Amino acid sequence: MSKSLACLTTVLAVAVAAPALAQSPRGSASTNVAGKQLAVDYGRPALKGRALDELLKQLPPDRMWRAGENQVTTMSLDGDVMIGGTKVAAGKYSVYVHAGEDNNWQLVLNKDLGVPLGKIWDKAPDNMKNEPWPHLDDYTKAIASQEVARVPLTAAQSSGPADLFTIDFKPASMGSTLMLTWGDQAWSADVTPAK
């Protein structure tokens, strides 16, 4: 009987955890800058009536946020571009945000593309075990040495309250503007051809 109970408990744990992992929709955004494709894939957490400032208080001491929810957020570049005045080479990077005090935010690109969920959660559903997960509590210790760029983000005008976290690109005269929007706040960085 205890074997059956253990089996049932495991099945229920996976059944409960799997929907929790899938609650947030995935989002994507892309743009072309001087013929170079730039694409972002990310999870879209919802505020669900919570205040963004309250969520920010829950960040770890290094104030690093995974720029989304669930699987790691990634940025893929077909060619070199300038992001906020910083040259970023072609490649695929994980994306984090340093949510500094006084709205001093920075976009952080890292060569580390995450850790398989099965390595950090022994009850990961089979279909998610190999999905890359961001470094949640130990960014500075684990992967800060693999940073490629840390780009200042500029506080921007939000077009209206956004319950779902959104990453988007807006056309600009020299390329595009990368926009991060959540709640009534927004941040931006210019994306221009590499020099």
Side-chain angles (χ1 to χ4, degrees):
M1 183 74 166
S2 65
K3 234 182 189 182
S4 297
L5 183 58
C7 189
L8 178 61
T9 303
T10 301
V11 169
L12 286 175
V14 170
V16 169
L21 293 175
Q23 280 181 354
S24 294
R26 295 297 291 172
S28 63
S30 63
T31 190
N32 254 302
V33 175
K36 310 283 192 298
Q37 178 81 11
L38 186 153
V40 178
D41 178 73
Y42 66 105
R44 301 189 68 198
L47 286 174
K48 299 178 186 173
R50 301 170 295 179
L52 181 56
D53 290 337
E54 290 303 311
L55 293 176
L56 293 174
K57 289 178 185 176
Q58 298 173 26
L59 287 173
D62 63 9
R63 310 258 325 146
M64 293 300 286
W65 175 53
R66 57 181 150 173
E69 190 169 53
N70 296 336
Q71 294 101 314
V72 70
T73 294
T74 60
M75 179 181 287
S76 300
L77 305 167
D78 284 348
D80 299 355
V81 295
M82 303 293 289
I83 302 177
T86 300
K87 186 173 183 177
V88 180
K92 185 173 182 178
Y93 306 103
S94 58
V95 180
Y96 293 83
V97 170
H98 178 255
E101 303 289 343
D102 300 322
N103 212 21
N104 181 18
W105 285 37
Q106 296 172 315
L107 181 75
V108 179
L109 302 179
N110 196 297
K111 288 187 279 187
D112 182 279
L113 294 178
V115 57
L117 180 60
K119 286 191 175 190
I120 57 176
W121 185 36
D122 60 355
K123 293 183 171 119
D126 286 341
N127 67 330
M128 297 293 286
K129 281 185 179 176
N130 294 317
E131 290 297 318
W133 229 251
H135 292 268
L136 301 177
D137 296 325
D138 62 351
Y139 176 90
T140 301
K141 181 180 172 186
I143 63 169
S145 63
Q146 297 182 65
E147 276 187 21
V148 172
R150 206 176 257 241
V151 178
L153 292 169
T154 303
Q157 180 68 38
S158 172
S159 59
D163 186 57
L164 286 175
F165 173 65
T166 303
I167 297 177
D168 200 4
F169 292 97
K170 306 286 183 204
S173 61
M174 293 292 294
S176 291
T177 300
L178 171 68
M179 297 289 300
L180 285 71
T181 307
W182 206 13
D184 60 354
Q185 298 184 45
W187 304 268
S188 69
D190 291 332
V191 183
T192 57
K195 295 178 183 175

